[in-house]
Amino acid sequence: MSEMHDFKEVLKPTPFHDRIEKLNLMNSWAPWGGYKVSRVLDKLAAEYFAVRSGCSVFDMTPMEKYRIKGPDALEFLNRLVTRDVSNLKPGRVTYVVWCNDAGRVLDDGTIFHLGDDGFRLCAAHHQLDWLLLSSIGFDVTIEEETHDVAALSVQGPTSYSVLTEAGIDGLSDLKPFGILNTKLGGKDVMISRTGFTGDLGYEVWVDPSDALMLWDAIFGVKERGLYDVRAMGLDALEMVRIEAGFLLPGDDFVTAETAVRSGRDRSPFELGLGWAVSFDKPYFTGRKALEKERVTPIKRRLVKLSIEGNKPPTDSFLYDGKNGNRIGSIRKTVWSPIMKQNFAMADIEYQNGRVPNEIWAEIYYQKELEWKANWAKCEISEKPFWNPPRRNQTPPGAF
């Protein structure tokens, strides 16, 4: 008899829910891909600093996952995404974006080369319809496996030490964007040295039936008094991903699939992702439009912006001088507790293909219920705000 669906259950619990629910003292939840996930479990500051100074664990099970197999699997993926992935070796992961025919970004994600098991494509949003449509003419099979794989993101300077103490061997040789297949408690575990925090970290993938075993092995390290381990929610993840300069489709920009009004979607060049477009490979979706765009002066770009002062520049407009012309707006912002500075993702209009000489934010803020206005100078950063050497160190330091 098939399992009956409970229509009163709007959001599905993840395989880790039984453990996370006990830690979610704030009872703060959010929807993600049909699942119920934590927004803040205890204290936001503690969850943030766990990533930057200890070990944090984030339930990333709702991330969309697709398994792509068949003789044409690699050729199909190379046609789908803008980056050349033809040389992606088994046991490796790479970051990619993909566009529609107009060269506008549909989503970003990662491709895992799983060897004889094909490829796994991870995405922020549901992509099955686009993948199936794009696969016409290729000898491939595409299956959604979002609900068949449970995953934890284990991040922070002590993440290597925690996972090693939890019983996972072989991590010392695992390089960034590498994959390790091993055993934990006799169960199959796949580990990738990837993450969304800009710090040393790993993503651990298991069968949902083994999820609690994995959770207990990791948090058992804390119970033994060896390292502190803290669960993290979406709000803390948002802080660290902005520090790391990682994009979040749907938050930092409107995707081509969801844009209603003309000009609201973005190309890879307008997102600062020109490095992820390979014109020295065969045809890919959106190529013609992007070839045309790359030889014309850029009109706007999503940039990483540091803002002087401590006033929150949330939703602020940007100008080319105090009381100057409006040239853009803040998309997402964070006050970095560890660097004591405001950082933001911002959409900037370029002038004749060049970034404006000056960028100023007009910030409106409340002080004891009285509204005030303030001007703050902004600087574009081409590099991530947070990128510690330990992120890429192999073997990682045993902090």
Side-chain angles (χ1 to χ4, degrees), residues 50-99:
V51 185
R52 295 297 183 227
S53 60
C55 180
S56 72
V57 176
F58 177 75
D59 181 2
M60 51 179 284
T61 300
M63 176 176 287
E64 295 282 337
K65 316 173 198 71
Y66 303 95
R67 183 65 65 93
I68 300 165
K69 292 182 176 180
D72 296 342
L74 185 55
E75 185 181 358
F76 160 69
L77 288 168
N78 213 29
R79 166 71 178 261
L80 176 78
V81 304
T82 61
R83 193 175 188 180
D84 186 0
V85 297
S86 60
N87 293 319
L88 183 63
K89 293 180 171 56
R92 298 292 297 170
V93 186
T94 192
Y95 171 82
V96 293
V97 297
W98 52 98
C99 300

Side-chain angles (χ1 to χ4, degrees), residues 142-283:
I142 302 173
E143 295 181 356
E144 181 176 358
E145 58 178 11
T146 302
H147 313 300
D148 302 325
V149 182
L152 289 178
S153 179
V154 184
Q155 304 280 308
T158 62
S159 56
Y160 162 73
S161 300
V162 167
L163 288 175
T164 300
E165 290 293 345
I168 296 176
D169 297 325
L171 289 177
S172 60
D173 296 328
L174 188 62
K175 297 179 180 178
F177 292 96
I179 297 172
L180 171 68
N181 289 291
T182 185
K183 298 278 187 181
L184 178 64
K187 305 293 185 179
D188 291 329
V189 177
M190 188 184 89
I191 302 171
S192 56
R193 189 166 167 182
T194 49
F196 203 50
T197 67
D199 218 305
L200 173 65
Y202 305 85
E203 292 172 336
V204 189
W205 315 76
V206 296
D207 186 278
S209 63
D210 300 327
L212 296 183
M213 177 278 299
L214 171 64
W215 183 279
D216 291 343
I218 293 172
F219 279 83
V221 175
K222 177 178 182 177
E223 293 176 1
R224 287 150 54 198
L226 299 175
Y227 292 94
D228 191 19
V229 183
R230 184 176 286 268
M232 177 176 69
L234 288 168
D235 285 8
L237 182 67
E238 174 74 351
M239 295 174 69
V240 295
R241 75 94 184 168
I242 295 175
E243 287 181 342
F246 290 138
L247 301 184
L248 187 58
D251 276 34
D252 297 330
F253 68 97
V254 180
T255 65
E257 185 181 15
T258 57
V260 176
R261 296 169 179 80
S262 176
R264 297 298 172 86
D265 50 11
R266 292 291 183 266
S267 75
F269 298 119
E270 293 172 328
L271 298 175
L273 296 174
W275 60 269
V277 181
S278 305
F279 289 109
D280 56 350
K281 72 168 187 173
Y283 184 81

Side-chain angles (χ1 to χ4, degrees), residues 328-347:
S329 59
I330 299 287
R331 290 288 184 261
K332 288 288 181 178
T333 185
V334 64
W335 170 258
S336 171
I338 202 164
M339 288 178 279
K340 310 298 184 212
Q341 190 166 5
N342 278 314
F343 298 127
M345 309 299 283
D347 208 42

Side-chain angles (χ1 to χ4, degrees), residues 102-114:
R104 320 309 287 176
V105 174
L106 287 162
D107 208 344
D108 73 344
T110 47
I111 295 176
F112 293 65
H113 194 327
L114 305 179

Side-chain angles (χ1 to χ4, degrees), residues 16-73:
F16 301 103
H17 185 80
D18 286 351
R19 298 293 186 269
I20 294 175
E21 186 176 33
K22 295 175 182 175
L23 299 175
N24 195 330
L25 302 183
M26 297 291 290
N27 197 25
S28 174
W29 303 94
W32 179 17
Y35 282 98
K36 184 178 181 181
V37 295
S38 292
R39 181 167 292 284
V40 179
L41 293 101
D42 184 358
K43 295 179 181 177
L44 179 58
E47 293 172 37
Y48 166 85
F49 278 109
V51 185
R52 295 297 183 227
S53 60
C55 180
S56 72
V57 176
F58 177 75
D59 181 2
M60 51 179 284
T61 300
M63 176 176 287
E64 295 282 337
K65 316 173 198 71
Y66 303 95
R67 183 65 65 93
I68 300 165
K69 292 182 176 180
D72 296 342

